[in-house]
Amino acid sequence: MERIVQLAQLILRHGPETGMSSTAVPRLTLIRADQPSMPTPAVYEASLCLIAQGSKRVSIGDHSLVYDASHYLLVSVDLPLVGHVLEASPDAPYLCCKIDLDMAALADLLVADGRGPPRNDLPVLATYPGDPDLIDAACRLVKLLDQPESIATLAPLIEREILYRLLTGPHSAMLRHMASGDSHLVQVSRAIATIRKGFRARLRIDEIAAAAGMSASSLHAHFKTITRMTPLEYQKQLRLQEARRLMLAGAASAGSAGFAVGYDSPSQFSREYRRLFGAPPRQDIARLQEAGDYVGAV
């Protein structure tokens, strides 16, 4: 309990007044919300999410998880999720730190691991009971923001400890699965990276499959199993989320935002936008700006 209170105090001191912000510590993001939010689709990168105060629900398809200060979230591949802050107020804001997983460091830690290959039926999105040692390491990572001259030397060491703590926890098999170069999870991760890099262009499934090292049919099957959507559906979510970001930033109208992310038809853009976000572009952006509760991805 004492450690989670310390983490909350550190996030309050170093985090944004609202929303989410990156920090001087690589791969560390801090998030704050002063009120519950509406369900918001966003891509969650492979990461560890530790809530210090409040709670949040994340969903993919019909699968939902709730995590809070007593449970942390582990995301093992970039996933388009719907996030919803459940508990937050000005007096007790939602506070969270997100630590993106360094796959190179994880693979290095596993070099000496002598256990057999992981199973293929592991969850890519899961919550686990809080670990005091893990929270303590996260506190020390955030606390480096008080000593910027120490970040370059100490942050990699603390990150490595965090990965070690995860490897000795209940999700060890999943982390080994993530670092296994020939696993379906890693292949789908390569496909996701390729889609994200060129999401504005027309989706060419043969090129995506080649980048993943899979056949087109195998890519479809494993992509749907892991992400609960097809590659085309995944690309649509990326396009629509980027269009929403452009409009929220005030840099684009609905028409120009749709065109900027790859839509040729304004009516198709509006139709698919409404299907994902529950309202036409202009109405959705006005609602978000009025509510002021767009927290972002974590």
Side-chain angles (χ1 to χ4, degrees), residues 122-206:
L122 298 162
V124 295
L125 179 71
T127 60
Y128 301 93
D131 177 349
D133 291 328
L134 189 60
I135 296 168
D136 178 65
C139 285
R140 284 184 277 115
L141 189 66
V142 179
K143 199 170 183 180
L144 286 179
L145 295 171
D146 291 323
Q147 305 170 323
E149 71 281 0
S150 301
I151 290 174
T153 301
L154 296 181
L157 301 178
I158 300 174
E159 275 191 89
R160 191 175 179 89
E161 178 187 346
I162 289 171
L163 290 173
Y164 172 79
R165 298 291 180 192
L166 292 173
L167 280 171
T168 57
H171 30 57
S172 174
M174 169 52 71
L175 291 175
R176 288 187 293 117
H177 193 65
M178 291 165 62
S180 176
D182 59 352
S183 71
H184 291 144
L185 178 60
V186 172
Q187 290 176 311
V188 170
S189 295
R190 288 199 292 264
I192 287 173
T194 303
I195 294 172
R196 293 191 70 180
K197 184 178 180 180
F199 69 89
R200 294 175 178 85
R202 180 180 178 184
L203 188 72
R204 300 183 185 280
I205 197 65
D206 289 341

Side-chain angles (χ1 to χ4, degrees), residues 240 243 247 254 257-258 261 263 265-273 281:
L240 294 169
M247 289 184 288
V261 300
Y263 280 91
S265 167
S267 60
Q268 181 186 5
F269 169 67
S270 182
R271 183 170 60 252
E272 293 184 356
Y273 189 102

Side-chain angles (χ1 to χ4, degrees), residues 66-94:
V66 173
Y67 63 114
D68 53 22
S70 64
H71 290 80
Y72 59 88
L73 179 76
L74 186 67
V75 185
S76 59
V77 66
D78 297 358
L79 291 174
L81 305 176
V82 177
H84 180 195
V85 174
L86 300 174
E87 295 179 71
S89 69
D91 293 332
Y94 167 84

